[in-house]
């Protein structure tokens, strides 16, 4: 672009000074003609670097998932094809499930046994509770019997006193007195028997825990223990089922299994520092790195363009998502020593700008690690943005050149 502008400028210089001779071609004008493009281009480029900053370091980044199995074991099959697109949920590899199937069957058997014990404890509680209720009914009946005999006893005592008075005056019969005394003695015996029965039942109910008969409390404790064991067995069964399910490892998202060295017969373990394979997600991020003073006017939402060497001659439109105002030189590792600055000051770091690819380029395949050039067009001095666009397109065309001699 600079050469094109210089060519246009040279044409007008030739036209004015040589062809039409409107101005004399002397030393003063020759110096002026040389200084004008130098100053103008310098101002133009410096302004352009602020209102439409560019970078030669645009990168495509992708998340890489280290696939680590949750269980250990011998690999039976690896159906995934290396470097081929894999959909989320497709099988990556399968581990021998024999050990985990046996553990699942053992957990099922243990759960069945514990459930049977729980049912037996429930039946025992029902029987114990029924016995306690029976004792309470017996106590109620004995108490009722004592209360029912009390009026009869009072009546019998009254008749005995009345008959004694009649016999003492000679107006009554001796037989009637003896019969009344006999009835009184019989009622006293019945009350004594009922009171003894009431006391006996009360003593049996007195042997209680928390208001229940001791046998009921024991049965409740046994039932609670059996229920806890059933819950534990169900948890163990769920854990065994989960372990069995983890013998099949599936793709966490759409992506690619890169450099698959895993083969049937390999032994894998569930430790994070020994992944079975690396999985590169299909979703990508585009990051453009700029010097710190280039981002003064850049705002989220600004338009941007970038090129990649993998697509020579193609301009990919994008939008600024955000500026990542952090980089490694702003972090000091936790240590007991003072930070090391080195013999020379550190070179000021650059800040990344995250770009969102616009339609219709959003579905374009971008390889992880692809690099290229890019530019951001701010809302300032839009009239000269065309210069940056031309420069970017010329640079994209040069990507067709493969500059090597072998």
């Amino acid at each position: 672009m600079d050469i094109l502008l210089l060519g246009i400028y040279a044409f007008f210089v030739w036209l004015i000074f040589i062809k039409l001779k409107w101005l004399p071609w002397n030393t003063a004008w020759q110096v002026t003609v040389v200084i004008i493009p130098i100053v103008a281009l310098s101002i133009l480029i410096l302004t352009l670097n602020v209102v439409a900053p560019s970078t030669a370091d645009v990168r495509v980044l992708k998340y890489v998932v280290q696939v680590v199995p949750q269980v250990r074991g011998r690999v039976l099959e690896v159906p995934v094809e290396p470097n081929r697109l894999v959909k989320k949920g497709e099988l990556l590899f399968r581990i021998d499930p024999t050990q985990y199937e046996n553990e699942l069957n053992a957990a099922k058997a243990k759960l069945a046994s514990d459930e049977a014990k729980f049912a037996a404890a429930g039946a025992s509680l029902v029987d114990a509770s029924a016995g306690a209720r029976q004792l309470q009914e017996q106590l109620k009946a004995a108490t009722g019997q004592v209360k029912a005999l009390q009026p009869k006893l009072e009546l019998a005592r009254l008749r005995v006193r009345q008959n004694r008075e009649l016999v003492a005056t000679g107006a009554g019969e001796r037989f009637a007195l003896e019969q009344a005394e006999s009835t009184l003695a019989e009622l006293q015996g019945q009350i004594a028997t009922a009171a003894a029965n009431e006391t006996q039942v009360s003593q049996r109910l007195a042997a209680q825990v928390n208001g229940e008969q001791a046998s009921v409390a024991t049965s409740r404790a046994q039932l609670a223990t059996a229920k806890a064991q059933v819950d534990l067995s169900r948890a163990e069964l769920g854990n065994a089922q989960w372990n069995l399910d983890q013998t099949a490892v599936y793709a966490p998202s759409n992506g690619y299994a890169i450099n698959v060295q895993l083969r049937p017969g390999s032994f894998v373990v569930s430790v994070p520092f020994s992944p079975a394979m690396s999985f590169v997600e299909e979703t990508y991020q585009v990051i453009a790195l700029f010097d710190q003073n280039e981002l003064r006017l850049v705002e989220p939402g600004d338009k941007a363009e970038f090129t990649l060497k993998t697509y020579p001659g193609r301009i990919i439109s994008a939008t600024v998502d955000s500026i990542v105002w952090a980089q490694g030189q702003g972090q000091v590792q936790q240590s007991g020593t003072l930070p090391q600055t080195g013999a020379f000051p550190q070179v000021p770091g650059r800040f990344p700008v995250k770009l969102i690819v616009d339609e219709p380029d959003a579905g374009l395949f971008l390889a992880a690690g692809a690099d290229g050039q890019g530019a951001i067009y701010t809302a300032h001095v839009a009239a000269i943005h065309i210069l940056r666009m031309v420069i970017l397109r010329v640079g994209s065309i040069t990507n067709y050149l493969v500059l090597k001699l072998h």
Side-chain angles (χ1 to χ4, degrees), residues 47-117:
T47 303
L48 194 63
N49 288 339
V50 175
V51 299
S54 65
T55 178
D57 193 356
V58 175
R59 307 177 187 179
V60 178
L61 307 178
K62 292 188 177 182
Y63 292 111
V64 179
V65 179
Q66 302 299 325
V67 180
V68 179
Q70 294 285 347
V71 295
R72 61 196 295 272
R74 190 77 59 186
V75 176
L76 293 183
E77 63 173 319
V78 187
V80 64
E81 289 290 333
N83 307 324
R84 298 291 186 273
L85 180 61
V86 179
K87 296 296 183 180
K88 180 179 180 180
E90 290 187 12
L91 181 67
L92 296 179
F93 61 91
R94 190 184 304 276
I95 301 172
D96 185 1
T98 303
Q99 171 188 351
Y100 304 102
E101 289 175 347
N102 294 337
E103 291 178 357
L104 178 62
N105 293 332
K108 288 180 178 179
K110 186 174 183 297
L111 177 60
S113 175
D114 291 336
E115 286 179 342
K117 293 179 181 179

Side-chain angles (χ1 to χ4, degrees), residues 326-353:
Q327 40 101 355
Q329 293 180 2
Q331 179 183 15
V332 177
Q333 299 293 335
Q334 180 178 345
S335 173
T337 60
L338 296 177
Q340 299 294 327
T341 59
F344 301 97
Q346 287 185 306
V347 177
R350 297 175 295 169
F351 287 99
V353 177

Side-chain angles (χ1 to χ4, degrees), residues 216-348:
V216 175
T218 302
S219 298
R220 287 189 181 276
Q222 292 175 349
L223 181 65
T225 302
K227 185 179 183 303
Q229 189 61 46
V230 168
D231 293 339
L232 178 61
S233 297
R234 286 175 178 168
E236 292 175 350
L237 177 62
N239 189 55
Q241 182 65 60
W242 184 84
N243 286 335
L244 179 61
D245 294 339
Q246 298 308 306
T247 58
V249 181
Y250 301 96
S253 63
N254 295 345
Y256 302 84
I258 304 297
N259 190 24
V260 179
Q261 298 297 321
L262 188 67
R263 290 293 179 266
S266 301
F267 194 90
V268 293
V269 293
S270 57
V271 289
F273 53 80
S274 181
M277 63 176 64
S278 296
F279 187 85
V280 180
E281 293 187 359
E282 186 180 23
T283 305
Y284 59 81
Q285 294 186 72
V286 179
I287 298 296
L289 297 174
F290 290 87
D291 289 330
Q292 301 176 38
N293 57 349
E294 292 182 286
L295 299 175
R296 288 177 295 164
L297 302 179
V298 175
E299 298 290 341
D302 287 344
K303 290 298 180 182
E305 292 179 333
F306 65 93
T307 67
L308 297 175
K309 295 178 181 178
T310 51
Y311 292 105
R314 181 161 187 169
I315 302 297
I316 302 174
S317 61
T319 302
V320 174
D321 175 79
S322 59
I323 302 174
V324 183
W325 290 112
Q327 40 101 355
Q329 293 180 2
Q331 179 183 15
V332 177
Q333 299 293 335
Q334 180 178 345
S335 173
T337 60
L338 296 177
Q340 299 294 327
T341 59
F344 301 97
Q346 287 185 306
V347 177

Side-chain angles (χ1 to χ4, degrees), residues 374-387:
I376 297 175
Y377 308 112
T378 68
H380 305 273
V381 196
I384 64 174
H385 290 176
I386 185 65
L387 301 179

